Each structure stands twice: as C-alpha cells, then as structure tokens.
Amino acid sequence: MTELTQYVYAFDKANEPIARAKDGDEFSFRTLDCYSGQVCTEEDIVGESFNFSRTNPATGPLYVEGAMPGDVLVVDVLSVEVADKGAVTTIPNIGPLYDRCVDRTRILPVKDGKTELGGLIIPINPMIGVIGTAPAGEDVIDGFVGSHGGNMDNKLITKGTRLYLPVRVPGALLQMGDVHAAMGDGELCGTGIEIPAEITVKVQLVKNFELHWPVLETHDKWYVNANAPKYDEALMNGSKELQRLLMNVTGWDPVETYMYMSIQSDVEISQGCEPCEVQLSLRIGTPKLPQFAPLVPRP
Ligand code: CA
Ligand code: CA
C-alpha cells in the first residue's frame, strides 16, 4: 500500500497531487499534528510568538482517476492509528473561557487506547479533524470548513465511518490531517489531543450524484455536515440538504419531511469554539431507513 507524506496548508485545485488512485484503491496518509510539530514539550506555548501560518497541515492531495465535478468521492476510514503522545493547548482568543485562562501546553501520553489528565484515565476516541476535496473556486485554508469538507472537526469521522464528499475538480484531490486522539463535541478550548497519525482509507466513486455538503454514514445513521459563520445559517444549510436527500428516497412532500426530521433527526455541534462567529460546524443525524434507498447511492 502506498503511504503519502506531502503536506499542504490549503484545499487548492492547484496543489500538485502526490499520488493517483484508482476506484477501490487503499492508501495510507501519514499526518502531522495540527502544529506541524512546533509543540514538542510543555514549554512550547501556542502564544504570540507561535507561527500560526503553519497550523493544520493536511497530507495529500490524492488524485482519484475518473473523478469529475458532479461525482461523489466515497472515503471509507479503515483505521486511524495515533502516535504515543499528543498535545492539548490553549490558543489566544479561542474558546469561551480564553479571557479566564493562561497560555498552557500539556503533553499527554497515549497508550492502550487511553490517556491521562488531572489524575484520571480517559479513553481515547481517535478522529480526523480535517478532510475534504478541493473546491472549484478560490482555495480554502486547511483551518477552515466548507461544503468541500475541511476542518469539520466531526468526532464521528473515525474508524468504520464512510464519508461522501462532493467532487468539484477533476481527480477530487483528497487530503486530510488534524487528527485528535480525543476530542469532545465543540472542542471548547480549541484543541483536542493533537497528534501525528497514520490514516488508512479506501476511495471509491459514485458518478453523477447531486451532493451539496459532506455526508457521513455510520452503522446506524446518516449525517449531513454543514457550516456557516452563524448557527442559524449552518442549521439552514444542513436542514435543507437533509430534507432534499430524504425527499429523494422517500417521496414525501417537504412539510412531511420537515416534520419527520423534527421528531427523528438530531442536531449536533461538531466545532463551536471560534470567537465572533467565525465558523460553526454542525451535523444533523438521522436513522437509516431500510425501507428506502440509501440517502447517497453506495458505490
Ligand atoms: Ca480542527
Ligand atoms: Ca485540531
């Protein structure tokens, strides 16, 4: 299996692919932590002198042969193997309690699926913070989220999850990084346990399917991922897409579908720590309905 190790700092159609995949191929992406290795000890503080232009490196991009705008790239996350230690840090002006804290770095050990903080043993939940395809227009830095994916910080993007990403440029240009050994929804202080990792994925294509936002499939649910600077806009984006996808397969009218969503779908905040409503990343989950076709066709 090919292992990928080129790092880029934006989702950009001009990024030179580091490898080419065929439909059904598996690849390993070796990822740096979100600090590009600038934080190695507890003396390495993410403060005024930190180089923020070198944050959130993504590994890639991978060119998927045959992927064209209007297709969907299907990414099965086969494994997320994390290093044996990671760093959680506070970040200036990030998170609701920043003005009540100081700049601090904690290096946390990771062993046998567990870490330790404050004298407590805590189970890890390795997940991929940044993953997506290249947008058709302007480049988007890896630290931002959008309808191409990017910094979704969705803790359900983990081993066993299938991700459906809109293809906007030939080859799709898949890249990923910002793995967390553990993170809670919302990521209150702005970091999880930021950690280098090796992610193994399988890529497949669904040709010609209209998809406006990334969709995630777990063993029992579908999730639409959406974002916007403000909560109400993000909620609107995700709700519209889920309603459209549900109506496609059920044949229900818009109001019936809306009511169904209200009683069966859960709105969950993935990333909500940014100040001044810079970006709000959420997911809307809905149970799988075996009576109907899948919300996004399977490859
Ligand atoms: Ca992130
Ligand atoms: Ca992160």
Side-chain angles (χ1 to χ4, degrees), residues 56 129-130 151 153 178 180 187 271:
N56 286 307
V130 170
N151 193 12
D153 278 332
D178 187 32
H180 305 136
E187 200 186 29
Q271 169 57 267

Short mmCIF file of all heavy atoms in Angstrom, two decimals, residues 56 129-130 151 153 178 180 187 271, ligand 1:
data_model
loop_
_atom_site.label_atom_id
_atom_site.label_comp_id
_atom_site.label_asym_id
_atom_site.label_seq_id
_atom_site.Cartn_x
_atom_site.Cartn_y
_atom_site.Cartn_z
N ASN A 56 -2.49 23.19 11.04
CA ASN A 56 -3.41 22.34 10.29
C ASN A 56 -2.86 21.86 8.94
O ASN A 56 -3.54 21.96 7.91
CB ASN A 56 -4.76 23.04 10.08
CG ASN A 56 -5.57 23.08 11.34
OD1 ASN A 56 -5.80 22.05 11.99
ND2 ASN A 56 -5.99 24.26 11.75
N GLY A 129 -9.83 15.54 12.08
CA GLY A 129 -10.40 16.88 12.14
C GLY A 129 -10.58 17.52 10.77
O GLY A 129 -11.58 18.18 10.51
N VAL A 130 -9.58 17.33 9.90
CA VAL A 130 -9.58 17.98 8.58
C VAL A 130 -9.59 16.91 7.50
O VAL A 130 -8.68 16.07 7.45
CB VAL A 130 -8.33 18.87 8.41
CG1 VAL A 130 -8.20 19.35 6.97
CG2 VAL A 130 -8.37 20.07 9.36
N ASN A 151 -12.02 21.62 7.77
CA ASN A 151 -11.88 21.50 9.23
C ASN A 151 -13.26 21.26 9.88
O ASN A 151 -13.71 22.08 10.68
CB ASN A 151 -11.21 22.77 9.76
CG ASN A 151 -10.74 22.63 11.19
OD1 ASN A 151 -10.70 21.53 11.76
ND2 ASN A 151 -10.38 23.75 11.79
N ASP A 153 -14.00 18.97 12.04
CA ASP A 153 -13.85 18.58 13.46
C ASP A 153 -15.03 17.77 13.96
O ASP A 153 -15.55 18.00 15.07
CB ASP A 153 -13.62 19.82 14.34
CG ASP A 153 -12.16 20.26 14.31
OD1 ASP A 153 -11.28 19.41 14.11
OD2 ASP A 153 -11.90 21.46 14.51
N ASP A 178 -4.92 16.89 10.90
CA ASP A 178 -5.54 17.36 12.14
C ASP A 178 -6.23 16.24 12.91
O ASP A 178 -7.38 16.36 13.35
CB ASP A 178 -6.54 18.49 11.83
CG ASP A 178 -7.10 19.16 13.07
OD1 ASP A 178 -6.38 19.24 14.07
OD2 ASP A 178 -8.27 19.60 13.03
N HIS A 180 -7.08 13.99 16.07
CA HIS A 180 -7.13 14.12 17.52
C HIS A 180 -7.22 12.73 18.13
O HIS A 180 -8.04 11.92 17.69
CB HIS A 180 -8.38 14.91 17.94
CG HIS A 180 -8.49 16.25 17.28
ND1 HIS A 180 -9.66 16.72 16.75
CD2 HIS A 180 -7.56 17.19 17.04
CE1 HIS A 180 -9.45 17.92 16.24
NE2 HIS A 180 -8.18 18.23 16.39
N GLU A 187 -15.21 21.21 20.94
CA GLU A 187 -13.77 21.44 21.16
C GLU A 187 -13.54 22.76 21.91
O GLU A 187 -12.97 23.71 21.38
CB GLU A 187 -13.03 21.45 19.81
CG GLU A 187 -11.54 21.20 19.93
CD GLU A 187 -10.82 21.36 18.59
OE1 GLU A 187 -11.28 22.11 17.74
OE2 GLU A 187 -9.78 20.70 18.43
N GLN A 271 -18.02 21.63 15.89
CA GLN A 271 -16.98 22.61 16.20
C GLN A 271 -17.64 23.96 16.46
O GLN A 271 -18.26 24.52 15.57
CB GLN A 271 -16.03 22.71 15.00
CG GLN A 271 -15.04 23.84 15.03
CD GLN A 271 -14.18 23.83 16.24
OE1 GLN A 271 -14.50 24.48 17.24
NE2 GLN A 271 -13.11 23.06 16.22
CA CA B 1 -9.58 21.22 13.83
#
